[in-house]
Amino acid sequence: MSPVAFVYVLHVLAAIAWVGGMFFAWMILRPAVIAALEGPARLKLWLQVLPRFFVWVWAAVILLPVTGIGMINMNFSGFQTAPRYVQVMMGLYVVMVALFLRASTLNLPQLRKAVLAEQWAEGAAALGGIRRLVGINLIVGMAVVAIAASRPMF
């Protein structure tokens, strides 16, 4: 495998882990949890799920710019000469990281505190905030994937 291919594979796997994880959580796990569990048990489950997922998101947050910049340097002579779609993807990455940081550093600790104190209404509000951020991030992530796949020349 060539160095360019290796870096590209790492980049794609990191993106799949992050965006695919959000898709799974939003579209599959969330409806199943709502159908199967009552409020307190639901909050306790999410408190177990989210930190495990966020470890993988942190790995993607680190790996994506490293591999992205590597691909820019291997395929173009720098950011200025990279195609516009690459620049747009990098901008959307910044948006995704900001949304993730909000969920992981503000909302998740609120959820943890509420669940440990058995303050279910506060826990539901914190989880609702995470859900909204993940939903927005999923839309942005799917847009990035669509841009990467189609490579539009705008």
Side-chain angles (χ1 to χ4, degrees):
M1 179 181 302
S2 73
V4 173
F6 179 72
V7 171
Y8 183 68
V9 166
L10 288 178
H11 193 79
V12 169
L13 290 175
I16 288 171
W18 189 357
V19 177
M22 290 188 298
F23 184 88
F24 174 78
W26 183 268
M27 301 300 292
I28 296 152
L29 184 58
R30 182 176 166 266
V33 168
I34 289 169
L37 299 174
E38 297 297 320
R42 203 180 301 154
L43 294 172
K44 290 177 183 178
L45 175 69
W46 281 113
L47 187 56
Q48 293 298 314
V49 169
L50 290 169
R52 287 174 169 85
F53 175 56
F54 286 175
V55 167
W56 289 100
V57 176
W58 276 112
V61 163
I62 293 165
L63 197 55
L64 286 167
V66 170
T67 55
I69 292 167
M71 287 187 298
I72 287 171
N73 289 327
M74 287 187 263
N75 294 316
F76 313 106
S77 58
F79 184 70
Q80 298 81 3
T81 61
R84 179 72 48 149
Y85 75 87
V86 172
Q87 297 170 3
V88 169
M89 287 169 47
M90 290 181 78
L92 292 175
Y93 163 83
V94 171
V95 170
M96 290 182 70
V97 170
L99 292 167
F100 167 66
L101 287 174
R102 166 80 185 183
S104 66
T105 63
L106 296 176
N107 295 84
L108 183 59
Q110 290 172 348
L111 175 62
R112 181 177 293 112
K113 181 181 175 186
V115 168
L116 293 176
E118 297 185 355
Q119 296 174 332
W120 306 122
E122 291 85 352
L127 183 60
I130 293 170
R131 187 190 80 245
R132 282 185 293 281
L133 292 169
V134 169
I136 295 165
N137 232 1
L138 176 58
I139 293 166
V140 175
M142 303 256 312
V144 172
V145 169
I147 291 167
S150 64
R151 298 179 180 180
M153 290 300 165
F154 42 70

